[in-house]
Amino acid sequence: MKKSIFLLIFCYCFFGLDVFAQTENDPIPIVSWKISERLGNITPTPFDTIVRNYQNRNITDGFSTVYQYTGNLMLPGQSGIFFDRPEQDQFIFIDAYRNFIKSPGNFNFTNTKIPYSNLSYRVAGGSTNKEERFDGMFTANVDKKWNVGLNFDYIYAKGFYQGQAAKQFDLVFFSNYLSDKYVMHTFWGIDNINHYENGGIKDDRYITNPEAVTGSKRPTGSRDVPVWFTDEGVRLKNRQFYLTQRYNVGYYRKISEIPDSAFVPVNKIDELTSNLQVKGKIYQNETDSVGEVFNPTAKTEEFVPVTSFIYTAKYTYDSRHFTAKSIPSGYYPDPITNSSYAADSTYYRSLRNTFGIALLEGFNKYAKAGLSVFIENEIRSFRLMNGITTGSTMSYFFMPTSDIRHTENTTTVGAELTKTHGSLLTYDFRGELGILGDEMGGFKISGNILTQFRLRKDTVSLKAYGFLKNLVPSYYLNAYHSDFYWWNNDFSNQRRVRLGGVFSIPTRGFSLDVGVENMQNYIYFDERALPVQTSSNVQIFSARLNQNFRFGILNWENELVYQTSSNKDILPLPEFSVYSNLYLWFKFVKVMNMQIGADVRYFTGYYAPNYQPATTQFYLQGDDKITVGNYPLVNIYANMYLKKTRFFIMAYNVAQKNYFSLPHYPLNPFHVRMGLSVSFND
């Protein structure tokens, strides 16, 4: 590991030799955006220069107001806020790691005036339980239109409890080409995750009442707490190749020929270029990184795209291997294997091709909205075991010769109607329908409507959102074979309807999001960790309030969430949760921005789901239910920003008492975390 880190540092330093010539007020001459995976639509996003609350990006708890996981960084987890949970993946075993896996839809593509790179290193704990994360990015433009880049993320954590060691290496090659007529984005993602599973601690009293089990009032060291396993392991692989291309048909016009003052250009390429000019302070006759002369004031015409022809392809490969070298009695509800050694394997592949045509918004004053239509074909391949392990370790590396192969082929058509410009009303509506193959009859309809208006000195925003989905269950919910679990189901489609609205006043730091969802044929994992389906309806109501205050250098940020389930027996949720952050924000000796404060996370007690290592799924507790929650997690931190350097230090879980994230999975005890992030511009 150390040799690899030193090599990467050397490479990055080579790319960023002139970093010390930077000044604090130098802007980063770079813009970024996200794309929609299906059609490659561009949405400009702020570039990652976050300073405030930087510490929350370096702990797993920062993913949600309530995020429940099995231990250290990168181990499986899920949000306790139901509306924060994404739609289930076809490869259901990857859902618990989704926050650590990059994909084309959540990745920031870039365009930069000069080469840019960033290195970050974070560390927590001591020698026996150290947690390290090293990540970085390099991006540069070959010319004004073509950008290439590399992003990597390496995590190594020994774990604060036995049997929690974890390692992840994520590598992304990305590129984009932006011109008036041709737009391209490509993404190559390689992700390897390896970690042990300890099954939780054997006796919760080691945390809640150590004197009862050790005879001492002093708390037991976390490495001395007995756990179920120390030799169960998971190897997860994710591979993604993505390419989207768009050819625009349109015309050029002089800027002075814009029809009227109400017209807003819709060429996203021009919008991104304009942002780059502002952020990079590019002036007339300035030479850019490829030696060309750029003169923004000389631009007298713009390209107006009318129609786009779109092609998108995505290939995905996933695999999961789970091994257990010893199988203690009493942990697995109904183990199938009688062997002392177990090894489960499964593989998944997907190839998706999408063809689309878009009539673009704003090419004249009457084109108030954009309309896109598409047709998509996806071929999926699954491989399952068709027998149990007989004790040979070879099955850990290879599928048995009698494996089951299953192929799905589905064709979908859909449309999108969007209006992204205008101060009074914007909206987007999407619909898709399976017309052939395994998802025939499945459909999704979703939409958002947003309006803004002035109220005295404030801007008020009102948003309505909703969706209607008829979802075909993943093949893995209907069929899965392994040493511990073996099921064959024939589930009906799940139907979900969600409606909600958001009322916000950004200038006052206020936002209220209220939503309700109804689910039919809901699929969940029961007390035996097996998937089952209920025929009754399940409703969820959620209200999320954000209110931030500022008094000079004193800041107070708050998020409160109330949610309730109509059937707590099959969908338990924490009813009330809160995140509160109180800090001072000021400039130290006029050169360094500083944030010093403390935050707290709290959720009411409830029967949180158990976690099953053999399937990476969260399932209902059995008869001996225990309550999780009703205890605050308190962190004290300091963030500092000087020139292109960010640094944080945190005292994590300063209360350190009786706190569990999931049943039998205690939160990590008190420790110190720190991190450093440095940007290089050349």
Side-chain angles (χ1 to χ4, degrees):
M1 171 190 172
K2 291 184 178 179
K3 291 182 179 179
S4 301
I5 290 177
F6 289 145
L7 178 61
L8 288 168
I9 290 175
F10 173 80
C11 294
Y12 270 69
C13 289
F14 176 79
F15 286 126
L17 292 175
D18 292 338
V19 64
F20 297 107
Q22 300 288 322
T23 64
E24 179 187 355
N25 295 321
D26 283 345
I28 297 177
I30 187 171
V31 293
S32 65
W33 63 92
K34 285 184 169 62
I35 62 171
S36 62
E37 280 200 16
R38 175 164 275 148
L39 297 177
N41 294 325
I42 290 174
T43 303
T45 59
F47 185 65
D48 177 21
T49 55
I50 184 172
V51 179
R52 297 198 192 197
N53 301 323
Y54 179 57
Q55 80 288 347
N56 282 337
R57 301 188 58 183
N58 300 287
I59 55 174
T60 307
D61 311 90
F63 289 135
S64 178
T65 309
V66 179
Y67 194 80
Q68 298 174 285
Y69 55 104
T70 62
N72 43 274
L73 196 67
M74 203 214 71
L75 290 184
Q78 72 171 0
S79 175
I81 308 300
F82 183 80
F83 281 13
D84 286 349
R85 298 176 186 174
E87 187 176 305
Q88 194 170 53
D89 196 272
Q90 286 291 331
F91 191 71
I92 63 174
F93 311 101
I94 211 167
D95 287 330
Y97 307 92
R98 187 174 294 188
N99 287 303
F100 295 99
I101 295 177
K102 299 178 181 66
S103 64
N106 64 24
F107 189 78
N108 280 354
F109 290 87
T110 58
N111 189 284
T112 179
K113 177 68 176 173
I114 57 179
Y116 170 84
S117 55
N118 174 270
L119 288 174
S120 298
Y121 176 73
R122 284 145 283 182
V123 63
S127 59
T128 60
N129 51 25
K130 182 177 289 187
E131 178 180 292
E132 296 177 286
R133 186 172 191 176
F134 180 59
D135 59 73
M137 175 183 180
F138 171 75
T139 178
N141 272 48
V142 178
D143 55 31
K144 291 179 181 177
K145 300 176 181 179
W146 184 18
N147 176 273
V148 295
L150 166 70
N151 183 283
F152 72 90
D153 191 358
Y154 182 86
I155 298 175
Y156 179 76
K158 295 182 179 180
F160 286 83
Y161 294 85
Q162 297 182 71
Q164 285 186 327
K167 181 172 65 174
Q168 178 191 26
F169 182 71
D170 179 79
L171 183 65
V172 173
F173 298 94
F174 63 94
S175 180
N176 60 83
Y177 185 89
L178 305 178
S179 68
D180 288 339
K181 294 186 177 181
Y182 178 71
V183 179
M184 179 274 295
H185 293 84
T186 185
F187 176 101
W188 295 71
I190 301 171
D191 203 310
N192 293 323
I193 295 175
N194 299 273
H195 67 87
Y196 285 97
E197 295 275 14
N198 67 10
I201 65 175
K202 286 188 174 182
D203 193 334
D204 292 352
R205 292 178 298 171
Y206 279 94
I207 305 299
T208 60
N209 186 13
E211 186 177 3
V213 288
T214 65
S216 172
K217 294 182 179 180
R218 300 183 61 182
T220 305
S222 60
R223 301 291 295 185
D224 298 323
V225 175
V227 297
W228 281 95
F229 312 111
T230 57
D231 54 8
E232 285 197 354
V234 173
R235 290 196 304 120
L236 188 76
K237 292 184 179 181
N238 173 259
R239 306 286 186 266
Q240 298 179 70
F241 169 72
Y242 174 86
L243 172 68
T244 182
Q245 301 178 88
R246 176 186 293 251
Y247 184 78
N248 297 321
V249 177
Y251 62 93
Y252 287 92
R253 68 176 173 205
K254 292 183 179 179
I255 294 178
S256 60
E257 295 177 356
I258 295 177
D260 56 52
S261 60
F263 176 79
V264 179
V266 296
N267 190 341
K268 291 289 186 181
I269 310 307
D270 283 344
E271 182 179 342
L272 291 170
T273 302
S274 176
N275 288 340
L276 184 59
Q277 293 169 17
V278 173
K279 293 187 177 184
K281 292 187 177 179
I282 303 172
Y283 299 107
Q284 184 174 355
N285 297 325
E286 179 178 333
T287 302
D288 66 11
S289 60
V290 292
E292 298 180 358
V293 176
F294 188 81
N295 185 358
T297 62
K299 188 174 182 180
T300 60
E301 63 178 14
E302 66 177 353
F303 180 73
V304 181
V306 177
T307 304
S308 294
F309 297 91
I310 306 161
Y311 170 69
T312 298
K314 184 179 182 183
Y315 172 78
T316 303
Y317 167 83
D318 292 305
S319 68
R320 182 180 188 269
H321 303 274
F322 174 76
T323 59
K325 297 180 180 179
S326 61
I327 305 174
S329 60
Y331 186 85
Y332 292 101
D334 300 302
I336 297 173
T337 181
N338 293 320
S339 171
S340 60
Y341 181 90
D344 299 338
S345 299
T346 186
Y347 298 83
Y348 166 76
R349 290 179 175 85
S350 167
L351 177 61
R352 189 174 69 217
N353 290 280
T354 307
F355 298 88
I357 301 176
L359 185 65
L360 301 176
E361 170 191 359
F363 65 88
N364 65 43
K365 64 181 180 181
Y366 300 107
K368 300 296 185 181
L371 176 64
S372 305
V373 295
F374 64 86
I375 183 169
E376 178 177 278
N377 178 261
E378 183 175 10
I379 300 174
R380 307 184 192 116
S381 175
F382 305 83
R383 292 178 64 187
L384 305 177
M385 296 170 57
N386 196 28
I388 61 175
T389 304
T390 59
S392 170
T393 59
M394 292 301 291
S395 60
Y396 178 60
F397 300 100
F398 303 100
M399 289 288 292
T401 56
S402 59
D403 62 321
I404 295 176
R405 298 170 183 258
H406 175 77
T407 301
E408 294 183 348
N409 193 331
T410 181
T411 301
T412 303
V413 296
E416 297 184 0
L417 179 67
T418 60
K419 181 178 183 295
T420 60
H421 293 94
S423 58
L424 181 61
L425 183 69
T426 59
Y427 53 80
D428 61 271
F429 299 98
R430 296 172 176 82
E432 59 182 88
L433 172 67
I435 59 172
L436 293 172
D438 295 88
E439 292 194 0
M440 186 170 61
F443 63 83
K444 300 177 184 178
I445 302 172
S446 62
N448 299 277
I449 303 174
L450 175 67
T451 183
Q452 294 180 326
F453 58 89
R454 297 286 296 179
L455 182 63
R456 295 183 179 179
K457 296 182 180 181
D458 298 314
T459 299
V460 177
S461 174
L462 296 174
K463 176 183 177 181
Y465 62 87
F467 63 66
L468 170 62
K469 299 180 180 180
N470 184 36
L471 303 174
V472 177
S474 163
Y475 173 73
Y476 281 112
L477 293 175
N478 279 319
Y480 181 62
H481 300 170
S482 72
D483 287 329
F484 297 104
Y485 291 96
W486 192 292
W487 64 70
N488 290 283
N489 301 309
D490 186 17
F491 290 138
S492 302
N493 290 1
Q494 298 184 86
R495 300 180 183 89
R496 300 179 60 179
V497 181
R498 182 182 297 180
L499 295 172
V502 182
F503 171 62
S504 62
I505 308 176
T507 52
R508 301 288 181 179
F510 171 83
S511 174
L512 177 63
D513 183 347
V514 179
V516 63
E517 179 169 339
N518 180 76
M519 295 188 294
Q520 293 179 308
N521 300 329
Y522 174 60
I523 298 175
Y524 61 97
F525 285 79
D526 65 9
E527 296 86 349
R528 299 173 300 157
L530 296 173
V532 294
Q533 187 170 49
T534 178
S535 58
S536 60
N537 289 359
V538 181
Q539 290 86 31
I540 301 96
F541 173 81
S542 174
R544 188 193 307 250
L545 173 66
N546 290 83
Q547 179 63 73
N548 301 332
F549 302 97
R550 182 178 180 182
F551 309 96
I553 66 172
L554 181 64
N555 295 262
W556 188 21
E557 300 172 351
N558 300 277
E559 180 170 283
L560 296 86
V561 180
Y562 173 78
Q563 59 180 355
T564 184
S565 165
S566 64
N567 192 333
K568 296 180 176 60
D569 292 333
I570 64 174
L571 182 58
L573 297 170
E575 285 198 349
F576 180 75
S577 58
V578 60
Y579 171 72
S580 187
N581 183 20
L582 183 67
Y583 62 89
L584 299 176
W585 173 262
F586 59 95
K587 185 161 288 190
F588 181 68
V589 294
K590 298 183 179 181
V591 295
M592 182 167 65
N593 291 314
M594 293 196 66
Q595 180 188 14
I596 300 176
D599 60 20
V600 59
R601 291 173 171 83
Y602 170 86
F603 61 92
T604 52
Y606 79 112
Y607 296 135
N610 283 315
Y611 169 73
Q612 177 49 254
T615 57
T616 323
Q617 301 301 312
F618 298 89
Y619 67 101
L620 299 178
Q621 294 190 46
D623 295 332
D624 299 327
K625 295 182 179 180
I626 62 174
T627 300
V628 172
N630 198 30
Y631 189 81
L633 169 64
V634 182
N635 303 320
I636 300 174
Y637 65 89
N639 287 312
M640 288 147 277
Y641 178 68
L642 177 64
K643 295 185 178 181
K644 296 295 184 293
T645 302
R646 292 177 287 184
F647 175 77
F648 83 92
I649 184 169
M650 170 192 284
Y652 180 84
N653 194 10
V654 295
Q656 190 183 353
K657 186 179 179 182
N658 301 353
Y659 194 83
F660 284 79
S661 181
L662 289 167
H664 316 303
Y665 286 95
L667 203 68
N668 289 331
F670 169 81
H671 62 275
V672 175
R673 310 178 70 90
M674 60 182 67
L676 175 69
S677 178
V678 182
S679 297
F680 299 78
N681 299 108
D682 185 4

